[in-house]
Amino acid sequence: MRIGVAGLGTVGGGVVRVLAERAHDLGRRAGRGIMLSQVCALDRGKRRPHGMAELRWARSALDLAQSDADIVVELIGGENGIALDLIWAALNNGKHVVTANKSLLARHGADLAELAEKKGVALKFEAAVAGGIPIVKALRESLVAHGVGAVRGILNGTCNFILTQMEATGRSFSDVLAEAQRLGFAEADPSLDIGGQDTAHKLALLAALAFGIRPGLDQIAVDGIARITPEDITFAREFGYRIKLLGVARQGPDGIDQRVHPAMVKLGTPLADVEGAFNAVVADAGQAGPFFFAGRGAGQAPTASAVIADIVDIARGAIGPSFGLPAKELQVTRPAPESARASAYYLRFQALDVPGVLAEIAARLARANVSIESMIQRGRSLSESVAIVMITHPCPPIAVESALNDIAASDKILDAPTLIHMEPA
Ligand SMILES: NC(=O)c1ccc[n+]([C@@H]2O[C@H](COP(=O)([O-])OP(=O)(O)OC[C@H]3O[C@@H](n4cnc5c(N)ncnc54)[C@H](OP(=O)(O)O)[C@@H]3O)[C@@H](O)[C@H]2O)c1
């Protein structure tokens, strides 16, 4: 099996290194030789480790699609442009493709999978979701017996690192983000991570694998972590929860609910204990019960590990459909109706510390049929403002949204209310 690698950055560098150091062992496992045939990157003159300059270089990424490579590994990134052109051309030329590119697959995955099937080759993407955790293979192959009813996960290490640090240090979101950027845990432009879109790309792929649907982003409601305050994190702890950015896809009788948002996760449950830059996924596999997967969700070695696993799989002859079903059979999703999306909520109001404010909030919630399960009210010393925090019983999102609009209009409310989903244990 000859391997062509396009992109020699964090992931590509790791893949080339493993192929250089472990090709013999990998070949024994695959039952046939595996060798690096050609590489390319944007700037050939750049200083690179692992003897990359001495490798055989293709003139351009697209040349790899015409080369002698049996597998083209796309590790350039970007949801369109050269990465997409390369994958189309490679599949069209009958080459297997391995990629870590979640944003590209979330948009074009079904069409590319169809092309791969037509050409009788594999399109694999273990590294695109949760780095080194073998969750793609688990959903595509290992958990098919009873089906998967829900898949939930912490899928973005940058967000988890920021939330973990906010809790550990009591510092604000922007302070911790700046530190994460200094330490290399966050990109110079972190908007895709903190805005939740990166998690949505990965969730789209998990949902496609779990439920046999076409991956797509339009059905996913996305909210990020920028509005989370140290105060919310402290209150969460008092109620027995920790705040995590979750991607959640759940099959209901009337459709599939797909959401990315910060959520209160009960302390003592596996997802609550996932710290720092780690990722984790819980797959609820019917009668077989929930399965918990955790590990490093990004970085050179974990991501290269997943890419290499795909290469070995292909070398062994495993070239089944990318999403576990023939691409033509992947369903177009229907979003779950509002009524199926009922959730309990954490609500925080910053209010004037005057008599009657609590009664007013409670009355407006009651008017929208939102009932309160528990509550904390805490005044700030030397301040006229008071934080009122409530956890509701499960209710439809529309009910709580209408109550919040009503409450925000009160002259006793000082800031826009904060709402965070309570994740069922
Ligand atoms: N980093 C992670 O931990 C991680 C985890 C999971 C998935 N991924 C995914 O893996 C992919 C690669 O990420 P990365 O972090 O390795 O990116 P990266 O470090 O920025 O590397 C990108 C590579 O692509 C090359 N490149 C850019 N434009 C090119 C072109 N027109 N032709 C050929 N090569 C070109 C660059 O060349 P130069 O070296 O010459 O600049 C560089 O080597 C992305 O899809 C990403 O989402 C990354």
Side-chain angles (χ1 to χ4, degrees):
M1 268 284 163
R2 288 178 298 269
I3 317 296
V5 177
L8 297 173
T10 305
V11 187
V15 168
V16 165
R17 180 181 190 161
V18 176
L19 288 175
E21 292 173 357
R22 301 206 0 96
H24 179 66
D25 280 356
L26 298 172
R28 283 179 57 221
R29 284 183 181 270
R32 63 192 289 190
I34 292 179
M35 59 169 288
L36 183 62
S37 123
Q38 291 190 40
V39 298
C40 79
L42 190 59
D43 175 6
R44 190 168 176 174
K46 205 174 191 173
R47 268 176 69 92
R48 297 176 198 271
H50 318 312
M52 278 191 238
E54 287 82 58
L55 297 169
R56 199 169 137 219
W57 279 64
R59 270 181 309 149
S60 77
L62 278 181
D63 280 0
L64 284 180
Q66 322 281 346
S67 70
D68 61 357
D70 301 297
I71 303 178
V72 170
V73 182
E74 183 280 305
L75 298 169
I76 296 172
E79 65 184 56
N80 291 301
I82 185 71
L84 184 59
D85 294 346
L86 171 61
I87 295 178
W88 270 113
L91 293 173
N92 255 319
N93 288 344
K95 299 188 185 303
H96 306 290
V97 170
V98 174
T99 177
N101 193 332
K102 55 255 172 183
S103 59
L104 178 147
L105 290 168
R107 295 204 185 272
H108 309 290
D111 294 336
L112 292 171
E114 198 175 328
L115 177 60
E117 281 163 38
K118 203 168 106 197
K119 295 289 176 178
V121 292
L123 167 67
K124 289 196 186 267
F125 55 89
E126 185 64 74
V129 186
I133 303 173
I135 187 64
V136 170
K137 192 176 179 102
L139 291 174
R140 193 183 57 223
E141 296 168 28
S142 315
L143 300 178
V144 295
H146 301 281
V148 169
V151 57
R152 305 173 281 152
I154 294 170
L155 301 170
N156 185 279
T158 303
C159 289
N160 208 49
F161 174 83
I162 291 172
L163 292 171
T164 305
Q165 282 297 306
M166 284 175 73
E167 180 174 353
T169 63
R171 287 157 60 203
S172 71
F173 169 80
S174 47
D175 263 18
V176 175
L177 172 60
E179 189 202 353
Q181 285 172 310
R182 263 198 319 277
L183 294 174
F185 283 111
E187 305 272 347
D189 175 6
S191 51
L192 279 184
D193 291 323
I194 62 178
Q197 288 84 0
D198 176 75
T199 298
H201 294 147
K202 295 165 182 167
L203 184 70
L205 300 179
L206 292 181
L209 290 157
F211 309 127
I213 59 177
R214 282 176 73 89
L217 296 168
D218 359 334
Q219 307 276 334
I220 306 180
V222 184
D223 184 17
I225 61 166
R227 64 191 169 82
I228 302 298
T229 65
E231 220 175 356
D232 293 320
I233 289 176
T234 307
F235 280 123
R237 217 176 160 88
E238 288 186 34
F239 282 113
Y241 291 82
R242 186 167 276 147
I243 300 175
K244 297 288 182 192
L245 182 73
L246 293 188
V248 180
R250 211 174 253 118
Q251 176 125 51
D254 303 313
I256 293 168
D257 183 22
Q258 298 184 67
R259 298 181 265 118
V260 173
H261 53 54
M264 296 274 176
V265 179
K266 201 157 188 48
L267 289 173
T269 58
L271 283 177
D273 290 338
V274 177
E275 298 209 325
F278 276 66
N279 280 195
V281 178
V282 177
D284 293 326
Q287 295 162 33
F291 289 91
F292 179 65
F293 301 78
R296 292 188 191 278
Q300 184 162 75
T303 314
S305 156
V307 171
I308 295 287
D310 281 345
I311 290 174
V312 172
D313 241 14
I314 294 171
R316 284 178 174 145
I319 58 166
S322 307
F323 292 97
L325 281 178
K328 275 195 174 346
E329 289 178 29
L330 296 172
Q331 304 286 309
V332 176
T333 3
R334 260 178 313 138
E338 279 281 302
S339 53
R341 292 176 40 218
S343 167
Y345 295 94
Y346 159 101
L347 307 176
R348 178 171 57 78
F349 305 97
Q350 208 58 47
L352 280 178
D353 194 3
V354 293
V357 65
L358 181 57
E360 184 176 328
I361 292 173
R364 293 186 186 211
L365 285 168
R367 207 152 58 212
N369 278 329
V370 177
S371 63
I372 299 160
E373 190 214 86
S374 43
M375 202 205 78
I376 298 175
Q377 175 175 349
R378 186 155 305 147
R380 286 187 186 152
S381 53
L382 308 175
S383 145
E384 294 183 330
S385 123
V386 62
I388 298 173
V389 179
M390 296 170 171
I391 292 182
T392 73
H393 286 291
C395 61
I398 199 160
V400 81
E401 276 156 27
S402 116
L404 291 193
N405 286 338
D406 189 18
I407 293 166
S410 160
D411 55 8
K412 300 190 187 76
I413 298 295
L414 301 173
D415 273 328
T418 296
L419 168 153
I420 301 175
H421 289 251
M422 306 294 296
E423 181 60 16

